[in-house]
Amino acid sequence: MGQLSRMAPLAAGIWRRAPQWLRGTVTWMIAGKVIVGVSGVLLNGEGQVLLLRHRFHNGMIWGLPGGWLSPGETIYECWRREVKEELSLETSAETIVCHRATRRVLEFYLLGRISGGQLKIDPVEILDARFFEADELPPMEPFCRKVVQQAVLRDRGWVE
């Protein structure tokens, strides 16, 4: 530990004098890479949940609308964009329900409502889209089922 302590000022001086492009490249090479995903529970006017069967996921189970964050976007902008691209719907993005992290992915789960548009699926990405009552959900990943339950409780004012 003593030798590292003695080398730190020298290393810091070299680092501070290095060009920005070099510091950025070195940082990118040694840092962990994380993809940010945004999905959400989308409710219609009757409080039903819109679920999708995604072409690029397990097509036998249902999931939440969402996608990957683009540079410069907020998680709310990302979700509104993905819902518009995949479903032709306008949506509000009201609150974060929860988040989770895996080794390389950080996922945010939002709660929102349909605010406009007509449901029209993008057949490149989506196989099917349907509304379900919150207590009659189809087969889906257990974590996403919990997200739906949390979102519905929050929407009903039973959880903050």
Side-chain angles (χ1 to χ4, degrees):
M1 187 67 148
Q3 189 166 353
L4 286 177
S5 295
R6 286 190 298 274
M7 291 181 63
L10 175 62
I14 293 169
W15 182 256
R16 283 192 306 269
R17 288 177 186 84
Q20 182 64 41
W21 67 266
L22 180 59
R23 291 189 308 190
T25 300
V26 170
T27 301
W28 183 86
M29 289 172 54
I30 64 173
K33 311 303 182 279
V34 176
I35 298 169
V36 178
V38 183
S39 296
V41 177
L42 186 57
L43 302 175
N44 65 10
E46 291 79 47
Q48 296 172 313
V49 180
L50 182 61
L51 297 177
L52 313 176
R53 286 192 314 115
H54 293 86
R55 183 174 303 281
F56 298 102
H57 300 177
N58 178 346
M60 301 304 294
I61 63 172
W62 293 80
L64 301 169
W68 303 117
L69 190 71
S70 294
E73 280 184 320
T74 67
I75 59 173
Y76 300 103
E77 291 166 341
C78 172
W79 194 50
R80 286 191 295 265
R81 175 184 52 77
E82 287 288 345
V83 169
K84 180 74 172 175
E85 289 174 2
E86 294 177 354
L87 303 167
S88 299
L89 295 173
E90 300 291 335
T91 181
S92 66
E94 298 171 5
T95 187
I96 298 172
V97 176
C98 65
H99 65 276
R100 73 174 170 175
T102 61
R103 185 166 184 229
R104 297 276 186 226
V105 178
L106 173 60
E107 298 173 297
F108 289 91
Y109 295 87
L110 307 178
L111 168 61
R113 294 189 172 281
I114 297 171
S115 59
Q118 292 288 336
L119 178 62
K120 180 181 173 199
I121 65 171
D122 171 7
V124 173
E125 293 188 52
I126 307 302
L127 296 170
D128 197 3
R130 292 188 200 161
F131 289 97
F132 294 90
E133 297 294 333
D135 58 352
E136 297 177 4
L137 298 174
M140 56 191 307
E141 178 189 342
F143 184 82
C144 288
R145 184 177 297 277
K146 289 179 187 176
V147 171
V148 170
Q149 292 166 346
Q150 285 180 306
V152 169
L153 290 175
R154 184 170 292 175
D155 182 62
R156 294 177 181 166
W158 296 346
V159 172
E160 288 187 23

